[in-house]
Amino acid sequence: MYGYGYSDGLYFALLAAMLLSFYASWKVKHTYKKYGDMRSARGITGAQAARIILSRNGLSGIPINQIQGTLSDNYDPRNNTLNLSSDVINGTSPVAIGIACHEVGHAIQNAENYLPAKIRSSVVPVAQIGTNIAFPLIIAGLLLSRLSAGLYQLVYLGIICFGLSTLFHLVTLPLEFNASSRAIKNIEEANILEGEEIGPAKKVLTAAALTYVAALAVSVLQLLRFIAIYGGGNRRR
C-alpha cells in the first residue's frame, strides 16, 4: 500500500485550504453584493474610472469591452483589452470601481513589462497542458504499472505536470496583490473615491486576493499529497 499514514496531516491541511477557498469565494460575492448598490459621491462608473487611470498612465488607447457574467472581469494581455462585466462597467459603487481599476492595474503591469507578468505569460501555456493531463497520467500510471513496473513512470510525469499548475498559482499571487495595490493608489491619487468610500473598494480587492491565496494553498498541498502517497513508486505498493 502507499504511504497514506504519512499524508494524513496533509489531507486535513488540504481540507482546511479547500474550506478557505469556499470562504474566500463567498466573501468576494458577499462584499460585492453588500456594497454593490452604494453610489459613490462623484458618480463615476467603473468604465469611467478605468479610462481615467488608463489615461493617467499613458494607456488611453486600450479598449474597454463589456462582457457577460458577474465578477468575470479581466485584462487580456494577448490583445491588450480590458473586459468588464455589465455591473462593473456601468456601476458607480466603490466595489465596481475597485474591480475595474484592479484590471487596469494588470494593463499597467503589462505596459511596464512587470517581471511577474512576463513570467506568468510564459508559464500559462505549459500550466494549462499540465493541468489537463496530470490526473490522466497519474491514473494511467497506477493502472498500467500492474502490467509493467516501468509504466509507473507515468505517475511521476503526472505529478510533474500538476506541479506546473502549482507554479502558475505561485507566480499569479504577487501579480494580483500588485494589481490591487496599483488600483488603490491610482484611485486615491485621481480622487475617484472620497473619504470612507475607499474602504469597500479595499475590502472587495482583499477578499479577491484571498481567493488566490487559497488556490495556491490547495494546489501546493495537493502536490505534496501526490508526492507523499505516490512518490515512493513500486517500493510503497
Side-chain angles (χ1 to χ4, degrees):
M1 294 295 292
Y2 296 100
Y4 286 104
Y6 176 76
S7 67
D8 282 350
L10 289 174
Y11 173 79
F12 289 112
L14 177 60
L15 226 87
M18 292 176 68
L19 289 174
L20 176 63
S21 181
F22 289 131
Y23 169 76
S25 179
W26 171 84
K27 186 65 175 177
V28 172
K29 294 174 183 176
H30 174 73
T31 305
Y32 184 75
K33 184 178 180 180
K34 181 178 180 180
Y35 297 105
D37 293 329
M38 177 181 176
R39 180 180 171 84
S40 60
R42 295 186 61 186
I44 294 174
T45 65
Q48 290 170 334
R51 182 56 65 197
I52 289 170
I53 295 179
L54 285 170
S55 297
R56 283 171 58 88
N57 288 273
L59 302 173
S60 56
I62 292 181
I64 300 175
N65 302 323
Q66 182 171 324
I67 57 174
Q68 300 296 318
T70 301
L71 297 174
S72 54
D73 314 273
N74 65 87
Y75 166 73
D76 191 340
R78 295 170 299 180
N79 52 20
N80 199 28
T81 60
L82 204 66
N83 306 301
L84 303 178
S85 60
S86 58
D87 288 343
V88 168
I89 204 169
N90 299 312
T92 60
S93 68
V95 290
I97 290 170
I99 291 169
C101 295
H102 171 89
E103 299 308 332
V104 174
H106 287 307
I108 298 172
Q109 290 171 342
N110 186 60
E112 294 180 352
N113 289 316
Y114 185 57
L115 182 58
K118 294 174 68 176
I119 294 174
R120 187 174 74 165
S121 293
S122 63
V123 168
V124 166
V126 291
Q128 288 178 334
I129 295 173
T131 300
N132 291 333
I133 66 175
F135 286 100
L137 283 173
I138 291 172
I139 293 171
L142 291 174
L143 295 176
L144 295 177
S145 64
R146 298 177 183 278
L147 302 176
S148 172
L151 291 175
Y152 193 85
Q153 300 298 320
L154 291 174
V155 174
Y156 297 143
L157 182 58
I159 293 174
I160 292 171
C161 287
F162 189 86
L164 294 175
S165 68
T166 303
L167 176 63
F168 172 78
H169 288 297
L170 180 63
V171 299
T172 294
L173 196 58
L175 204 63
E176 296 299 329
F177 275 102
N178 180 263
S180 291
S181 177
R182 290 173 187 265
I184 297 300
K185 181 174 183 289
N186 277 280
I187 288 172
E188 291 177 332
E189 289 179 350
N191 295 314
I192 294 172
L193 295 176
E194 300 178 357
E196 295 182 355
E197 293 175 344
I198 198 71
K202 287 181 177 179
K203 286 180 180 179
V204 75
L205 295 182
T206 299
L210 185 59
T211 65
Y212 292 101
V213 172
L216 175 60
V218 169
S219 188
V220 168
L221 289 167
Q222 182 63 75
L223 176 62
L224 291 175
R225 284 196 76 239
F226 281 150
I227 295 172
I229 296 172
Y230 303 123
N234 293 333
R235 293 189 302 275
R236 292 191 177 183
R237 287 189 295 161

